[in-house]
Amino acid sequence: MVPFLTLQRLTKTFGTHDAVADLSLDMPSGEILCLLGPSGCGKSTLLRLIAGFETPTGGAIRLDGTDLTGLAPHRRPVNMMFQSYALFPHLSVARNIAYGLKGLGRSAASARVDALLRLVRMDEFGNRAPETLSGGQRQRVALARALAREPKVLLLDEPLGALDRGLREETQGELRAIQRRLGTAFVIVTHDPSEAMALADRIGVMDKGRLVQIGRPETLYERPVNRFVAGLLGDVNLIPGTVGETDGALVRVETALGPVLALGEGAPAAGAPALVALRPERIGASPVDPMATGDRNALDGHVEASTYLGDRIRLQIRMVDGSTIRATLPAGAGIDGGVPVRLSFTPDAATVMAA
Ligand code: ATP
């Protein structure tokens, strides 16, 4: 990867509190990077540092070979779009978009506004007042305005936060399509994991000012580095155990439910306490066959509750040590409440992490 935007050991301290703590990352040009994390983890502060609205306590920001760290916001080839959109109510849609284009000649600015209106599919709306637009349309105008000066990086703080659920999903696809057409790097802050997964080329998970893990959505979902990332991206079973021997790419973890074979990548050393992370949909369940022995990754339990969800059923299984495991099976799997079941999964479905 050729780094385009580089954050080097960036720190921002308010009083005694590190809102962003020693955070480094590289981003290639043309990428959508989503910053994901709970409220207060420092996502907005990180965006504001890149935009230049905050001065870092330590560290540096480089973009396309230039050190931005000491530059004023308006000198940076970067723009920010806020959740509130902040459109000027007394200006038409076209004039809102043209606002940032002072310095361009009249006809060049007007051609640029037309191109931006087409880009966000608002060509018919140039003369309208913002208050006459729907939430989704306002969002598109704000996006066009933020893109008017062709920033090298667009920073978006909860860009879809003001939209209701259905419109949000539709707009996610549009936002991605527009970004792909332009090739501008987007850094998007969200606290919604499903939004991050739908939008991002890579997700950076933040916790308490730190970057905990960065990678493709699939990587974070399938191979989270710790329980925080695992739980943030979806439901997960965490089975405690002790790391045993390694066999090639696989590692054996001794648990109260029996031995579990998992992919060894990232696992702590032999003898260390560990957690086996297992997504409910990666678990299979079948009635216990008393004749079957020696199955790999076969854990026995009792179906305590079975919930029909239309396309799937969700099982809550009471295990031999009293713990519960959640499994999600295709509808029609034919497993009823109250019956003994054997849970099974392949080693690549399980991730081992430090306890
Ligand atoms: P949210 O999702 O709620 O917007 P966030 O992840 O964007 O949260 P930030 O707004 O970056 O979090 O805030 C990170 C931490 O820094 C919080 O504890 C916040 O209270 C603190 N903080 C942010 N700005 C300031 C400021 N100007 N002065 C003092 N503390 C601040």
Side-chain angles (χ1 to χ4, degrees), residues 51-52 68-76:
L68 298 188
T69 320
L71 281 186
H74 67 279
R75 310 286 303 270
R76 301 183 182 206

Side-chain angles (χ1 to χ4, degrees), residues 99-116:
Y99 186 79
L101 294 173
K102 285 185 199 131
L104 267 193
R106 193 172 252 245
S107 68
S110 145
R112 179 96 190 105
V113 168
D114 287 347
L116 286 158

Side-chain angles (χ1 to χ4, degrees), residues 114-194:
D114 287 347
L116 286 158
L117 284 170
R118 275 197 304 279
L119 177 74
V120 298
R121 295 193 299 108
M122 292 290 288
D123 352 12
E124 308 292 317
F125 294 81
N127 293 323
R128 292 271 285 268
E131 64 182 17
T132 68
L133 302 179
S134 71
Q137 291 167 339
R138 280 180 213 190
Q139 195 273 343
R140 273 144 56 193
V141 175
L143 180 64
R145 190 178 65 177
L147 290 165
R149 287 168 52 143
E150 303 185 314
K152 290 184 178 174
V153 179
L154 184 63
L155 309 167
L156 305 99
D157 198 351
E158 300 275 0
L160 310 180
L163 307 179
D164 60 38
R165 186 101 220 138
L167 191 55
R168 246 177 122 135
E169 282 172 15
E170 189 184 316
T171 311
Q172 284 164 4
E174 252 173 40
L175 191 61
R176 228 180 119 86
I178 289 171
Q179 189 275 343
R180 286 292 183 261
R181 230 172 298 150
L182 294 173
T184 307
F186 278 17
V187 183
I188 303 179
V189 157
T190 177
H191 64 270
D192 177 351
S194 59

Side-chain angles (χ1 to χ4, degrees), residues 14 17 19 38-45 54 158:
F14 293 112
H17 174 74
S39 182
C41 72
K43 308 179 295 290
S44 299
T45 302
E54 302 283 0
E158 300 275 0

Side-chain angles (χ1 to χ4, degrees), residues 84-95:
S84 62
Y85 309 149
L87 297 176
F88 300 115
H90 58 287
L91 295 184
S92 68
V93 163
R95 284 176 165 270

Side-chain angles (χ1 to χ4, degrees), residues 18-101:
D18 285 347
V20 172
D22 198 15
L23 190 148
S24 298
L25 68 81
D26 282 326
M27 182 180 174
S29 118
E31 181 178 77
I32 301 185
L33 173 66
C34 281
L35 298 172
L36 176 68
S39 182
C41 72
K43 308 179 295 290
S44 299
T45 302
L46 185 59
L47 274 201
R48 294 171 59 79
L49 284 166
I50 301 170
F53 301 139
E54 302 283 0
T55 308
T57 313
I61 303 167
R62 299 182 68 79
L63 177 62
D64 203 11
T66 307
D67 189 349
L68 298 188
T69 320
L71 281 186
H74 67 279
R75 310 286 303 270
R76 301 183 182 206
V78 164
N79 205 355
M80 184 142 163
M81 187 181 123
F82 298 94
Q83 179 180 348
S84 62
Y85 309 149
L87 297 176
F88 300 115
H90 58 287
L91 295 184
S92 68
V93 163
R95 284 176 165 270
N96 260 283
I97 297 173
Y99 186 79
L101 294 173

